[in-house]
Amino acid sequence: PSSYMKVSDSSVSFGATVKLSTALPTSGKAETEAWLRDLDSVAAAIWDPTKVKRLPNAWRLSLISLRFVTIELLPTVDVELLTRDNSAGDAVFYLSSVGFDPRVKILPGVGIKAEDLGIEINVVGQMKAMGDKGVVGAIGFETTGNLPLPLRVLPRQVLEKAGEAINKQIVKFAEGNFKANAGTVFAEWKVATTREKM
């Protein structure tokens, strides 16, 4: 995984990119690409299925609780999912955020208003078949926000460590979910689609 952290006098931004790759019990590339077109199934593979909610035109992904110094976030991100063929004719699954709610909780006595933070969260990703063995891809997260006065007086190292800690949490969460879920979700999809053909 690669990550970055930027702190200026009045704002902060940090993010990470996680590589996703796993072998799947697939009969070949055609079957893997058919699965990549089943967006609900792929969503359950890349995220904890208990933290995915289907909306009319998007999927809502709930993240784990994240703490940045005195600010706690329990964010949700609404994402658009689609699979389309690239110029080489390969099916590629795409994920991009279309909305978010940082769900901010400020520790008591800090003197910061949630609306002053100007938090923005972006998530993007893509995945495709890895030959006839499985899938390979990446998912990236980025969070930006204003630094309120009480946090501007903190040493830069404290803010950087807080951002790096969140990056590590998100990477661990994303990698862990994918490794834990992808094979099982794919196998369940395979059984269900085989039944439908009977």
Side-chain angles (χ1 to χ4, degrees), residues 16-145:
T17 301
V18 186
K19 286 188 176 168
L20 305 174
S21 71
T22 190
L24 296 172
T26 177
S27 64
K29 184 180 175 185
E31 185 177 57
T32 305
E33 290 192 338
W35 174 66
L36 286 173
R37 294 181 197 285
D38 186 327
L39 302 177
D40 286 312
S41 185
V42 179
I46 60 172
W47 214 253
D48 177 345
T50 65
K51 293 181 181 290
V52 177
K53 183 181 179 186
R54 186 71 165 94
L55 304 176
N57 298 308
W59 284 258
R60 178 161 292 159
L61 310 180
S62 296
L63 275 145
I64 47 174
S65 175
L66 304 167
R67 178 171 284 186
F68 184 79
V69 194
T70 56
I71 301 161
E72 195 172 337
L73 310 173
L74 193 58
T76 61
V77 181
D78 295 349
V79 296
E80 193 176 65
L81 308 178
L82 72 108
T83 300
R84 65 172 181 251
D85 291 349
N86 63 14
S87 56
D90 299 321
V92 182
F93 165 83
Y94 296 93
L95 174 155
S96 58
S97 52
V98 291
F100 64 89
D101 180 353
R103 293 167 62 200
V104 177
K105 196 165 114 185
I106 311 285
L107 295 183
V110 176
I112 299 171
K113 291 181 185 166
E115 55 269 22
D116 294 340
L117 298 173
I119 293 171
E120 287 197 22
I121 300 168
N122 289 301
V123 183
V124 293
Q126 66 177 56
M127 190 161 50
K128 63 180 184 175
M130 181 173 56
D132 59 359
K133 295 184 174 69
V135 288
V136 62
I139 188 165
F141 305 86
E142 181 186 54
T143 304
T144 59

Side-chain angles (χ1 to χ4, degrees), residues 177-194:
N177 278 330
F178 189 67
K179 283 177 182 167
N181 299 332
T184 306
V185 169
F186 180 85
E188 287 169 356
W189 171 85
K190 192 170 177 169
V191 168
T193 50
T194 305

